[in-house]
Amino acid sequence: MNAIEENTVHPSRPLLALDVDGVLSPYGAGRLPGYVPHQVRPQAWVDWSAMVYPRPSHLVVQLNPAIGERLEALPFDLVWVSAWTEQELAALLGPLGFTQAPPHADLKGATQRTFFLRVDDPGVSPDAKGDLYWRSQDVLGWANRQDRPLAWLAPHFPKTVRRDFADGHAAPVLLHEVDPAAGLTDADFTALTSWAEKVAALEPAPAVVPRQCRDCGDRSTTVIAGRREDRVHAACGSCCECYCPIGDGSDAFQSCGDLESERCTRCGWCRICGCGC
């Protein structure tokens, strides 16, 4: 097997977000042809299994050494959106047949939560649906920072997650469900290739050059109803994460931006947010 090299990034290509359980490692149907079982103990699973009785001693994942090469041949930039750590994922690259190491997405806030999730979760997780929702929000926030077409592979996408991505990500999105009992099949690779070809044929989206916030210095945009919006307000020059005094004499602020020019003279509240008059 070839040595694992650093991943080559092609910014013009769409991103392909990968996870382990139910995507690269099938479960629920026994041993599959071409797959080799491995015993592992990722920390996210250890945290999750602490709530299970009787507590399992290890996790068995099935890995196919032909999958990595097929994924690398797709017209995508691969990236992990897994709860597994970079070190834990690095140990899977060889058994999966990867020749390059995909980067790990910076899911801000995800390190604060346990995100080992399976479609067949027996109910021992305290809030499996909630965890899945918050994980999708982390992935959505990361995808918006990349501002590139995204295909995400997972065993299941609830309607709420599909709606959030349709409304909250301006670039094309494919939320592709993989049968967790079968893993990635020829049909999945065909669907991914077809979608990437359609995206490549689209006209490029108009560029949005965000203005710098006078308070925090950040330059970024947000997405509202599928459209990119400049986060810096034209009237005051501040972004939506800087301060807008409520006007009650306290240090509390609203998260709409420092809109002093839009501040109601009677109650002190921002007229954009809705004053108290």
Side-chain angles (χ1 to χ4, degrees), residues 21-79:
D21 282 277
V23 178
L24 301 184
S25 175
Y27 61 83
R31 178 78 173 271
L32 296 178
Y35 284 81
V36 180
H38 300 264
Q39 292 188 5
V40 293
R41 285 179 56 85
Q43 187 59 48
W45 174 83
V46 171
D47 296 340
W48 176 86
S49 64
M51 299 176 285
V52 179
Y53 183 82
R55 185 176 303 174
S57 60
H58 58 265
L59 172 68
V60 177
V61 295
Q62 296 189 77
L63 306 178
N64 187 332
I67 290 294
E69 183 178 358
R70 294 192 68 181
L71 287 170
E72 289 177 341
L74 292 172
F76 289 86
D77 279 347
L78 309 181
V79 63

Side-chain angles (χ1 to χ4, degrees), residues 14-16 70-71 74-76 150-153 173-179 184-200:
L15 295 161
L16 180 58
R70 294 192 68 181
L71 287 170
L74 292 172
F76 289 86
L150 169 73
W152 182 11
L153 304 179
V173 175
L174 173 66
L175 301 181
H176 183 78
E177 293 187 350
V178 177
D179 181 357
L184 289 172
T185 64
D186 290 343
D188 297 312
F189 283 98
T190 299
L192 290 169
T193 301
S194 176
W195 182 80
E197 292 173 349
K198 292 179 181 178
V199 169

Side-chain angles (χ1 to χ4, degrees), residues 132-234:
L132 181 59
Y133 172 78
W134 286 115
R135 183 176 189 176
S136 71
Q137 296 304 298
D138 288 330
V139 173
L140 176 58
W142 165 79
N144 284 336
R145 294 192 295 274
Q146 312 312 306
D147 196 21
R148 294 169 60 182
L150 169 73
W152 182 11
L153 304 179
H156 177 59
F157 292 106
K159 291 182 179 179
T160 53
V161 172
R162 292 187 178 277
R163 181 196 63 214
D164 289 349
F165 269 82
D167 294 340
H169 188 50
V173 175
L174 173 66
L175 301 181
H176 183 78
E177 293 187 350
V178 177
D179 181 357
L184 289 172
T185 64
D186 290 343
D188 297 312
F189 283 98
T190 299
L192 290 169
T193 301
S194 176
W195 182 80
E197 292 173 349
K198 292 179 181 178
V199 169
L202 295 175
E203 291 288 335
V208 174
V209 181
R211 294 177 293 118
Q212 187 170 359
C213 169
R214 70 176 185 182
D215 294 307
C216 68
D218 186 25
R219 296 176 60 88
S220 60
T221 61
T222 188
V223 177
I224 301 175
R227 299 182 60 182
R228 295 179 182 87
E229 300 285 349
D230 195 330
R231 294 174 59 224
V232 177
H233 193 268

